[in-house]
Amino acid sequence: MRTVKKYSAGPVEEQAKNLVIEGDNLQAMATLYRERGQVDLILTDPPYNTGNDWRYNDKWEDDPNDSGLGEWVSADDGARHTKWMRFMWPRLQVMRSMLKPGGVLAICIDHRELFRLGQMLDELFRQENRLAIINWQRSATRRNDKGGQAGQGGVSVATEYVLVYARDRDKAITGVEDRRDYGSYRNPDGDPQGDWYGVDPFAPGAPTHPGMVYAVQSPFTGELHYPPGNKCWANEKVWVKARLEEWGSTYEERELGDGRRPALLLKGSTDPRTLQDPLTDPVVLQARKRALKQLDGVLPQLYFTKGGAGRPRRKAYREQIKQGLVPTTFWASEEHGDLVELGSTSWAHAESGTSEVGARELGAVVGSSHGFETVKPLKLFRKIIQLWAPPDGLVLDPFAGSGTTGHAVFAMNHEVETTRRCILIEQGRPDKRDSYARTLMADRLRRVVSGDWESGKREGLGSGFRFVTLDKKVDADALLSMEREDLAETIIVSHFDPATRKRDALVRVPPDAGYKHLVAYNNQNEGFFLIWNGAKGNTDFTEATYEACAKEARAARLGQRYHVYARLYRFQTSNVVFYQIPDRILMDFGLDLRGEPYHDES
């Protein structure tokens, strides 16, 4: 894999958490095999076999790494169903092996391959591990499509399906049997009302609730905070004012001439828009002093993140949250026009969104010329993620398409302070030099991270991702022929910690930072060093290179435990963890040295 910085987005710490892979998903998942047993949820939308929507290369049955794209499978191909099953089977096998023991696969499909996909999943996962067959309403209107034309006795197709299987049903958890037991609840401030977690204080509906769209002034910074996008405040204004005043200062309503309703400002303060720095206002300074004192006690229900320097959030208490409904197998939407999100505390009824809404959501981010006629709606994917991916879980999408899965993960992390990660894989149309990974998915995710939507500026989601391209099959010869920077990128992608049985999210040290050996560091502040001058150069770990690594670690203010990649271990010391090139990299990639590309211990 090779990182493409142009298509990556967000701070380096956030890029280390999420991965976007350009390339064939079977080869990519083989490369990602170090994630085996670490994925909480696989949520994906494979080709539905509608005709010319996927390719098949018969050589893949013998060699999944064969580079041939294969031929398009048309709707007239008499063997298209068999080819589709042969195409899907090895991918399903690898997907299952990557799930945790309690992990869940949720795979979208329509009527064309519903039964064949179900048969494969029953065989692979076993029927007793089938959690649900979700029937969701993809269209809000009746359509005169095949089988639904008037006078022909047909039925209009308005639904699609999500097949949900657990690797082990007894270990899988469905998140909303009781919503009071779901979420990252905690009580860091000793709140007498009990455990809570921070949720978005805004709700959709600005066009229909203009009276709830206004600015509030932060008692910490004096800055104005508005509901983002098409949102409004979720609570009445009198509630918002009362919660703000719990920070120790009095607020008043004031017209700002901003086209919204009167703002809630600190009483007697100067309009912060007229000041270069709102903290030069004496009223704001006094309010800040009082608010900072409140940080040492129980936080008000409307609080500000980052010790007061961030945006407003609302406490959602475990005991006050309505008990959630056990999810049913039919998910219908009652909202068709606006961008609507799931409530962050409870669902009054089952909702999924529609394909039309999904296409509009995508168009709002990247523009209407994206060319996708049907797109899975965010609400559908958000609901699945909330049901089957824990707040700190890993979500994988091997058929990532336009990036709905990534968008949903980023949005949910932003709104409810969860820390889910995602890996997205998409090949697109390499025959037309049009990779959806670059021209659509990465563009969409970059825009939602920054807030630079095609339809107008929105609040950025504050996440990030690293974009990598899958160049070729990984083997020992390929590793040994790599240039130093390419090998460094490969190490960062592949590194697996056997102590925790997890992939470390290593943060890349910029190549121009001036270090000869230091290439990355982990969240324990431990440095990763590469001793590499090419296959024919001096690539051994010696006492001299140890001293050089120690010097670079001190310069970078890293700890005294060093992770070193080199060919030979000629100097041994207790504070060095050594990884031999190429064997250890191949092992971390999960490649079976016996040549079995999808070897499974079972």
Side-chain angles (χ1 to χ4, degrees):
M1 292 186 184
R2 175 173 53 87
T3 297
V4 185
K5 294 182 179 180
K6 177 181 178 180
Y7 298 106
S8 303
V12 291
E13 293 82 3
E14 295 298 322
Q15 290 187 23
K17 299 175 183 177
N18 304 298
L19 191 62
V20 173
I21 303 174
E22 176 188 47
D24 174 72
N25 51 21
L26 186 58
Q27 185 179 347
M29 285 189 287
T31 301
L32 285 169
Y33 217 56
R34 68 193 179 281
E35 298 285 2
R36 185 170 76 176
Q38 302 302 318
V39 176
D40 295 277
L41 171 66
I42 297 177
L43 171 56
T44 195
D45 185 19
Y48 285 5
N49 201 6
T50 59
N52 290 332
D53 62 341
W54 63 286
R55 290 175 177 269
Y56 182 72
N57 179 351
D58 56 12
K59 294 180 181 179
W60 290 340
E61 296 177 39
D62 299 320
D63 181 10
N65 284 296
D66 187 88
S67 59
L69 293 174
E71 299 296 329
W72 290 108
V73 179
S74 72
D76 299 326
D77 190 330
R80 69 184 186 278
H81 298 299
T82 302
K83 290 180 177 179
W84 188 85
M85 294 175 72
R86 287 178 175 173
F87 167 79
M88 289 297 300
W89 180 252
R91 288 160 173 80
L92 295 173
Q93 286 180 304
V94 181
M95 289 183 208
R96 181 185 178 279
S97 66
M98 296 183 74
L99 289 172
K100 288 182 175 179
V104 171
L105 167 69
I107 184 166
C108 301
I109 200 67
D110 73 356
H111 63 282
R112 294 175 180 86
E113 297 293 353
L114 172 65
F115 303 114
R116 278 166 282 271
L117 178 61
Q119 287 175 324
M120 288 191 290
L121 293 176
D122 276 355
E123 181 177 340
L124 184 60
F125 284 81
R126 304 207 323 207
Q127 184 173 335
E128 56 266 31
N129 288 316
R130 186 200 306 149
L131 298 182
I133 301 175
I134 304 300
N135 182 20
W136 69 280
Q137 189 177 9
R138 69 178 174 92
S139 176
T141 58
R142 296 176 185 267
R143 298 176 53 185
N144 287 329
D145 51 16
K146 290 185 177 180
Q149 295 180 2
Q152 295 189 9
V155 177
S156 179
V157 179
T159 60
E160 289 184 5
Y161 308 90
V162 184
L163 302 186
V164 186
Y165 285 75
R167 183 160 186 174
D168 185 340
R169 186 187 187 98
D170 294 335
K171 297 177 181 178
I173 298 175
T174 298
V176 294
E177 291 182 354
D178 186 338
R179 293 192 56 78
R180 292 174 297 178
D181 292 330
Y182 187 76
S184 51
Y185 291 97
R186 61 197 188 283
N187 193 357
D189 58 343
D191 194 315
Q193 295 192 61
D195 291 350
W196 58 273
Y197 71 100
V199 300
D200 193 344
F202 309 113
T208 56
H209 298 81
M212 301 177 72
V213 181
Y214 53 87
V216 302
Q217 188 173 24
S218 167
F220 291 91
T221 64
E223 298 173 327
L224 297 179
H225 292 278
Y226 288 88
N230 288 326
K231 294 184 179 181
C232 61
W233 289 94
N235 295 86
E236 296 293 336
K237 199 170 194 176
V238 62
W239 183 93
V240 176
K241 182 175 183 291
R243 301 292 82 75
L244 288 170
E245 291 182 339
E246 290 177 359
W247 289 103
S249 300
T250 303
Y251 276 76
E252 63 182 0
E253 290 191 62
R254 195 186 309 170
E255 288 282 358
L256 294 180
D258 56 1
R260 278 104 169 194
R261 296 303 167 89
L264 289 175
L265 301 185
L266 291 162
K267 188 174 182 179
S269 66
T270 303
D271 185 342
R273 299 174 302 173
T274 66
L275 302 174
Q276 186 173 0
D277 182 2
L279 289 177
T280 59
D281 184 346
V283 174
V284 174
L285 280 178
Q286 289 300 316
R288 176 178 173 82
K289 291 180 181 179
R290 289 188 285 266
L292 288 173
K293 290 181 180 179
Q294 292 290 106
L295 290 177
D296 295 328
V298 177
L299 299 180
Q301 192 171 356
L302 186 67
Y303 68 99
F304 293 81
T305 60
K306 300 180 181 179
R311 52 197 173 85
R313 304 287 285 179
R314 178 176 61 83
K315 287 182 175 180
Y317 295 99
R318 184 196 300 273
E319 293 304 319
Q320 292 181 352
I321 289 175
K322 298 177 183 178
Q323 182 171 332
L325 298 175
V326 174
T328 65
T329 57
F330 180 69
W331 292 356
S333 173
E334 296 180 5
E335 306 282 354
H336 309 304
D338 200 1
L339 303 184
V340 182
E341 61 184 352
L342 292 173
S344 55
T345 57
S346 183
W347 297 322
H349 48 75
E351 291 182 333
S352 64
T354 64
S355 293
E356 294 91 339
V357 170
R360 285 198 293 271
E361 288 170 338
L362 178 59
V365 179
V366 302
S368 58
S369 61
H370 53 73
F372 274 50
E373 296 180 3
T374 59
V375 181
K376 292 300 180 291
L378 279 168
K379 287 179 64 177
L380 175 67
F381 277 22
R382 285 168 61 111
K383 183 167 185 173
I384 293 170
I385 292 168
Q386 191 166 12
L387 279 169
W388 289 297
D392 60 349
L394 173 60
V395 181
L396 168 65
D397 187 348
F399 296 91
S402 66
T404 303
T405 298
H407 188 167
V409 168
F410 294 170
M412 296 173 76
N413 284 345
H414 177 73
E415 294 163 9
V416 195
E417 296 182 353
T418 50
T419 57
R420 294 182 180 94
R421 298 185 297 119
C422 63
I423 299 174
L424 312 175
I425 307 170
E426 177 56 48
Q427 184 175 35
R429 295 288 298 274
D431 56 317
K432 293 187 175 181
R433 297 182 180 178
D434 176 18
S435 168
Y436 303 149
R438 297 185 184 220
T439 61
L440 181 61
M441 180 168 61
D443 184 40
R444 176 185 191 171
L445 298 179
R446 177 186 61 79
R447 289 177 180 272
V448 298
V449 165
S450 66
D452 185 23
W453 289 30
E454 183 66 24
S455 59
K457 187 67 177 177
R458 305 290 181 97
E459 182 182 13
L461 300 184
S463 189
F465 61 92
R466 188 157 58 93
F467 185 102
V468 301
T469 185
L470 194 63
D471 286 333
K472 53 190 174 183
K473 178 181 176 180
V474 179
D475 56 29
D477 290 339
L479 288 172
L480 294 177
S481 65
M482 284 184 175
E483 298 295 332
R484 183 179 185 279
E485 292 308 315
D486 289 336
L487 187 57
E489 293 287 353
T490 303
I491 289 170
I492 292 170
V493 170
S494 70
H495 182 73
F496 184 86
D497 185 353
T500 61
R501 292 196 56 79
K502 291 185 177 180
R503 180 177 67 89
D504 272 349
L506 302 185
V507 178
R508 180 75 160 99
V509 173
D512 57 358
Y515 298 109
K516 182 178 180 181
H517 304 302
L518 179 64
V519 295
Y521 58 91
N522 63 14
N523 58 8
Q524 281 83 45
N525 204 38
E526 299 170 344
F528 284 71
F529 302 85
L530 172 62
I531 314 302
W532 190 252
N533 295 310
K536 297 181 180 180
N538 180 11
T539 58
D540 298 341
F541 182 63
T542 63
E543 184 174 5
T545 52
Y546 170 78
E547 294 296 338
C549 291
K551 182 177 180 180
E552 292 184 3
R554 291 192 295 269
R557 298 183 179 180
L558 297 174
Q560 297 182 9
R561 188 167 186 258
Y562 312 142
H563 298 258
V564 177
Y565 283 82
R567 287 303 304 277
L568 295 177
Y569 194 26
R570 296 190 181 279
F571 177 75
Q572 299 185 15
T573 180
S574 60
N575 65 327
V576 169
V577 181
F578 180 75
Y579 310 93
Q580 188 171 33
I581 302 173
D583 296 5
R584 179 51 191 265
I585 302 175
L586 290 170
M587 184 185 304
D588 285 344
F589 270 131
L591 299 180
D592 195 310
L593 297 180
R594 293 171 299 174
E596 299 179 8
Y598 308 114
H599 174 68
D600 192 306
E601 62 188 2
S602 63

